[in-house]
Amino acid sequence: MTFPDLVTWLQERTAFGNLSVEVLNAIAQVMQEQVVSANTRLVLEDTPVEYLYILQQGRIESDRASPTLRYGSNPTSSPWAISWLPGAIIHLQELLFDQSAQRTVQTLSECQLWVIPAEGFRELLEAYPEISQALSPQLAAELAQLSSQLSYEQERQGTLRPYLVNRAKRGIVGKSRYAVRLRQQIKKAAEDRKSALIFGEPGLEKDNIATLIHFGSIYRREPVIKVDCSTVQASGAELFGRAGGKPGLIEALGQGTLILNNIQELPPELMPILANLLETGTYTPVEREQSKNTDEANPKSKIQNPKLQCQAHILMISEKALPEIEHQVAHLIKVPPLRVRKADISDQMDYYISLWCRARGISKPRVTPEALRRLQAYDFPGNLRELQNLVERSLVQLGNGKELTEELVWPSQSKKKQFRLNLLNAYPGFRRFLRSEWWPDRINYGFTLWFFALIVVLGFVGPQNRQENFTLNLFWAWWWPLVLIGFPFVGRLWCAVCPFMIYGEITQKLSLWLWPRQLKRWPREAAEKWGGWFLFGLFTLIFLWEELWNLENTAYLSACLLLLITAGAMIFSAIFERRFWCRYLCPIGGMNGLFAKLSMTELRAQQGTCSAECTTYQCYKGGPQKGEGLETAGCPLYSHPAQLEDNRDCVLCMTCLKACPHRSVEVNLRPPGIELWTTHNPRTYEVALLLLLLGGIFLHRLPEIQTELGLSLNLQDFWQHVGLSLAVLVIPAAIPLIAYAGEQAFYRLLQTLKSQIPNPKPKPFIALAYGYLPLVLAGNLAHYLRLGLSEGGRLLPVTFATFGLRGESLPIWVAHPAVIAFLQSITLIFGVVLTMILTQKIACQPVRSLLAQHLASVILGVCLWAIIVGY
C-alpha cells in the first residue's frame, strides 16, 4: 500500500477520519506493517501497553470480566467479549488516558496489523493536540453508550443468573454405534438454530446433551439457561414477559439457548403457545390483569403488545416423544437407554472412576472382567445415573484396594435374573467338567455309541419277553422312569447323550467324507410351521403301535422302534446341516422339549456381555479357538444362548459354554417352570402334543379302563382295538377343552348381564393348556413307576437270562405293591396341586375365574388315580 493510499485508508476506514491531512500524514509516517499468526496473544489484561494496533485484515478478539471502551468493535449483546473489525484501533483509550491494557487481546486468524509504538504515539499527542481534541467527544459518546449497555446487561444477567448453565458435564462417552449416532445427532442439531426435542428414559443426562448442542454451535459464547417446566406459571410470564413490564427469559436471552426441561410437565395452556413459537418464531408477551381492566375502561390508554421475534435457540427435554409439538420440531433426538449400550459400560465406568480418583488424588483401581460382566448382565433401569451411583458406592467400599471385583459391584437384579443361582460360578469343578472332552463326546463315542448298538442287537437276537430280555427291561423299566424323573431337574439333558443323534452325526461326517458337498440349510419357516405337527403324528403312530402290537413285551419290535427313530436322525443328518431332526422332527425330542419347560435348571447367557463384547458369535456359528473359548462347530440346534426364552431348544450339549471366550454362558438353578409365566411363547402343536401325552397315559391303561367302565370289547379284534385306542387318546383331551368352553360361556354371560362382579377375560386356551404339564408328567411317571419299582430291580437276573445263563440266585430289588401304590398316589396328588398352581401363575387371574380349569384338573387326577392306583 503506497503512502497516499495509506493516508486515504486511515481517513476512510478508521476513527482517525476526523483529523486533518497533516496529522494523518504524521501518523502514517510512524506506522509499521506487521503480520501476526493465528492464536497469538498481543497483550495481557492489566499489563502496560506497548503498541497501538490498527487492524488491516484478519480476526481479533478481546475478553474481560467487565466492559470497556473500544473503537471499531462488532456490537454484540454482551460487552464482555469483543470481536474487532478491520479498521479497529486497539489501545487508543489506554494511550489517551495513560492506562494499562483493559483487555486480553488475541488473534483468531492470521492478521495484518499497522503498529505504532506507544512512545511514538505519545509524541504525536504532544506534537498535535488536535488528536485529543478530536477524539474526546467520540470517547464521551462511547462511554455514555457503554454505560447504558452495562445497565441493561446487568439487569439481563440478573434475570438469567438463576437459570444459567455454565458448562457441559461431559461429552458422549463410548464407542458403540449408539454413541456414535448420538454424537452425529448432536453435531447436526448444533449446525443450525432450529428447535430440537431430546427424549428418553430417566437418568440419561438429556440436559447435558442439550448443553452439548449449545456449546457445539457458533453461538457458544452466548448464555444458555435451563428452565424446569414443572415450575413455570400457567400464564407463562417467566418465559414470555409481560406487556409493558419486565421482559421474559426469551427476550433477555437474546441469541442464547433456552433448554426447557421436563417439557411434558409444561402447563397445558402453554403447549399451543409453545407450538406456535416453534412454528413461527414469534410470541406475544403476557398481558397484565390490571392492564386488561384499564384497557376495557379507557381504550385510548391501551398498552401496545406487539408480537416479538424469538432469537433464542430452543431445546426441549422429555421422557417421551410429544405428538403435540413433534411436527413443529426440526430435530428429534431419541437417547438410547444404557441397556442397549452395553458396549459402552466399560468406558462409562472408566470415566466415572477417573473423575472420582482425580478429585481425591488417588490411583485408579482395576475393574476385573467378572465385575464388568456382572454389570453388563444388568439392565440399569436408572441408566447412567444409576451406573454412576453404583460405581461411586463400589469405590467407597473398596477403600484402599486395587481391584473392583464382582463382590463389590452388586446392582439390583433384573426380573429375568431374579431367583437364579449360576452353578458354574458356585462350583468351578462342575464348569471344568462341562468344558472338558468328557462332556458329552467321550461319553457318547466311548460308551453310548457301542452300548446302544448292543441293546438293539439283543432286542433282535435275545428272548422276546420282558422277563428274559435285557433290552426290554432297560428301555421300559429303567429309561422311561428315569428320564421322566429327570425332566424337573435337568430338562433335556438326555438329548445331549442321545444315541439317535450320535449315529446321525456319524452319518453326517461319513457322507461328507465320501461325497464332499454343502449340506442344505434348514427350511426354518416350513419347519417351524409343520415340524411340530410331524412329530405329533409320529408320536400318535408310536402310541398306536405300542398298544396294538404290545411293544412293551416284544423285544424285536422295541428294537425296531429304536432303529426307526435312529434312521430318521441319520437320513435328515445326511441332508441338512447340524441337528435338524433333533430340533424339529424327533418325537422323543419333542416330548423332552415340552417337559423340559418344567425344569429347575436352565442354560442361558448374559445378554449384556454378549451384546457388548462378542463380535464373532462362535457359540452360534462355530469357529476357531479364541481366548479361553475352544474351537467348536457351533450350536447343533442353531440356538443362541442369549436369545433362549425357554428350555425347548437347548439340549445341554454345552457347545456354547466351550466356545464362549467371555464367560457369558450360565447354567442356572431357578424356580421350576418359571418361563411358563414369564417369557413363554405358546405354540399350538405343543398343546396338541401335551394333550396327546395325556391321552397316552389312558391308552397304556386300556384294560383297567375296560374294567372301570364295564366294557367287554374284544381287544383281539384288530379294528375294535384300533377304534377304542383312538377314542382313549382323544377323549381325555376333551375335558380341558370343555372346561375352557365353560369359562368362556360364563364370561359372556356376565358380559351380557353387565354384572358388577369383576371377571377378567380368559386367556387363550393354548396359553392356559400348559398349566396341565405337571399333571401329564405326573401321570406318565406314575404309570412307569410300576415297571421301574417292580421290574427294574430284576436287571441282573434278566441280563443273565438274555445270554442264556441262570440267574435265580442273583439279588433283586422289588418294591412292595403298597409302596408302589403310595408313591403313585403322592405323584398324582402333587401333579394335580402343581397344575392348579401353575395355571394360576400363567393366567394371573382370580381363582373364581379359573374354577372350571381347576375342576378339570381334579377330574383328570381322579381318573388317573382310578386307572393307575385303583381303589
Side-chain angles (χ1 to χ4, degrees), residues 242 613 789 855:
R242 293 192 180 274
E613 298 186 17
L789 296 176
L855 180 60

Side-chain angles (χ1 to χ4, degrees), residues 574-613:
I575 298 172
F576 297 103
E577 57 188 2
R578 306 200 187 183
R579 295 189 182 182
F580 180 77
W581 170 267
C582 215
R583 174 155 183 169
Y584 291 113
L585 305 177
C586 177
I588 303 299
M591 177 191 72
N592 293 352
L594 188 61
F595 287 136
K597 297 173 188 286
L598 296 173
S599 174
M600 65 174 61
T601 55
E602 66 178 9
L603 185 141
R604 298 291 186 270
Q606 300 173 11
Q607 291 181 335
T609 302
C610 293
S611 63
E613 298 186 17

Side-chain angles (χ1 to χ4, degrees), residues 147-201:
S147 176
S148 175
Q149 288 181 351
L150 177 59
S151 176
Y152 170 77
E153 188 63 30
Q154 286 175 338
E155 182 182 355
R156 175 174 177 255
Q157 291 295 328
T159 302
L160 298 178
R161 188 173 294 113
Y163 308 97
L164 280 174
V165 178
N166 295 321
R167 60 185 178 88
K169 296 178 185 176
R170 62 186 64 87
I172 302 301
V173 179
K175 300 182 286 290
S176 71
R177 65 180 184 274
Y178 298 102
V180 171
R181 185 174 63 188
L182 193 54
R183 290 191 195 97
Q184 292 171 344
Q185 290 176 313
I186 291 172
K187 183 179 179 182
K188 185 176 179 182
E191 289 174 351
D192 55 42
R193 301 283 290 171
K194 296 177 180 177
S195 58
L197 175 63
I198 305 162
F199 63 97
E201 297 176 5

Side-chain angles (χ1 to χ4, degrees), residues 743-754:
E743 282 183 7
Q744 292 278 27
F746 183 66
Y747 172 77
R748 292 194 190 97
L749 178 62
L750 290 180
Q751 291 292 103
T752 304
L753 298 176
K754 297 182 180 180

Side-chain angles (χ1 to χ4, degrees), residues 47-84:
T47 60
V49 174
E50 298 179 359
Y51 298 96
L52 179 77
Y53 296 102
I54 304 174
L55 179 60
Q56 180 182 355
Q57 188 176 349
R59 293 176 59 204
I60 290 179
E61 187 175 70
S62 63
D63 198 10
R64 191 185 172 180
S66 62
T68 187
L69 183 67
R70 73 273 190 199
Y71 280 94
S73 62
N74 181 25
T76 63
S77 60
S78 171
W80 271 247
I82 298 175
S83 296
W84 301 84

Side-chain angles (χ1 to χ4, degrees), residues 392-466:
E392 291 176 356
R393 184 196 69 210
S394 302
L395 289 169
V396 170
Q397 287 183 266
L398 180 64
N400 297 323
K402 300 299 181 184
E403 282 191 345
L404 271 179
T405 61
E406 185 180 9
E407 291 74 22
L408 294 172
V409 179
W410 39 278
S412 302
Q413 285 188 322
S414 65
K415 290 184 178 180
K416 285 186 177 181
K417 291 294 180 181
Q418 283 181 340
F419 313 114
R420 258 70 168 185
L421 171 65
N422 186 358
L423 298 176
L424 301 182
N425 289 346
Y427 305 100
F430 181 50
R431 175 188 180 84
R432 287 193 296 272
F433 169 73
L434 294 180
R435 283 174 52 84
S436 70
E437 293 182 356
W438 281 98
W439 184 261
D441 289 348
R442 286 191 179 179
I443 295 174
N444 285 341
Y445 291 98
F447 173 74
T448 308
L449 178 69
W450 313 107
F451 188 66
F452 180 73
L454 174 64
I455 288 175
V456 172
V457 170
L458 290 177
F460 282 107
V461 302
Q464 292 301 297
N465 61 78
R466 204 162 59 235

Side-chain angles (χ1 to χ4, degrees), residues 261-502:
N261 197 20
N262 299 320
I263 191 68
Q264 73 277 1
E265 297 181 17
L266 190 72
E269 305 94 318
L270 296 181
M271 200 61 79
I273 301 174
L274 176 62
N276 179 69
L277 172 63
L278 296 174
E279 187 171 0
T280 65
T282 61
Y283 66 97
T284 304
V286 178
E287 293 186 3
R288 291 178 293 183
E289 290 297 324
Q290 183 180 358
S291 169
K292 290 181 182 179
N293 297 333
T294 304
D295 293 344
E296 292 173 2
N298 186 9
K300 292 183 179 180
S301 65
K302 182 177 181 180
I303 298 175
Q304 295 297 316
N305 191 17
K307 287 188 176 181
L308 300 180
Q309 192 71 31
C310 174
Q311 296 179 325
H313 189 192
I314 299 179
L315 305 176
M316 294 160 289
I317 296 172
S318 173
E319 291 184 1
K320 58 183 179 180
L322 299 175
E324 305 97 310
I325 59 173
E326 255 184 41
H327 299 296
Q328 287 81 30
V329 175
H331 302 285
L332 287 173
I333 301 176
K334 182 178 182 180
V335 186
L338 190 56
R339 64 176 173 273
V340 304
R341 291 177 55 194
K342 298 295 180 71
D344 293 334
I345 288 179
S346 176
D347 292 332
Q348 290 281 2
M349 282 193 71
D350 186 67
Y351 176 78
Y352 292 138
I353 292 171
S354 298
L355 284 182
W356 173 277
C357 296
R358 193 182 305 125
R360 288 156 182 78
I362 58 177
S363 58
K364 283 174 57 177
R366 171 180 171 269
V367 181
T368 63
E370 293 77 15
L372 182 59
R373 280 195 293 270
R374 184 168 189 176
L375 289 181
Q376 288 172 336
Y378 179 55
D379 283 342
F380 285 100
N383 292 297
L384 294 175
R385 189 184 302 126
E386 183 178 1
L387 176 61
Q388 183 174 7
N389 292 339
L390 186 149
V391 170
E392 291 176 356
R393 184 196 69 210
S394 302
L395 289 169
V396 170
Q397 287 183 266
L398 180 64
N400 297 323
K402 300 299 181 184
E403 282 191 345
L404 271 179
T405 61
E406 185 180 9
E407 291 74 22
L408 294 172
V409 179
W410 39 278
S412 302
Q413 285 188 322
S414 65
K415 290 184 178 180
K416 285 186 177 181
K417 291 294 180 181
Q418 283 181 340
F419 313 114
R420 258 70 168 185
L421 171 65
N422 186 358
L423 298 176
L424 301 182
N425 289 346
Y427 305 100
F430 181 50
R431 175 188 180 84
R432 287 193 296 272
F433 169 73
L434 294 180
R435 283 174 52 84
S436 70
E437 293 182 356
W438 281 98
W439 184 261
D441 289 348
R442 286 191 179 179
I443 295 174
N444 285 341
Y445 291 98
F447 173 74
T448 308
L449 178 69
W450 313 107
F451 188 66
F452 180 73
L454 174 64
I455 288 175
V456 172
V457 170
L458 290 177
F460 282 107
V461 302
Q464 292 301 297
N465 61 78
R466 204 162 59 235
Q467 288 72 35
E468 298 178 313
N469 192 287
F470 172 78
T471 296
L472 289 177
N473 185 281
L474 190 68
F475 184 51
W476 297 102
W478 281 93
W479 184 85
W480 271 105
L482 288 179
V483 78
L484 290 169
I485 290 172
F487 287 136
F489 299 98
V490 292
R492 288 190 71 170
L493 186 70
W494 162 255
C495 292
V497 293
C498 171
F500 308 141
M501 276 316 302
I502 297 174

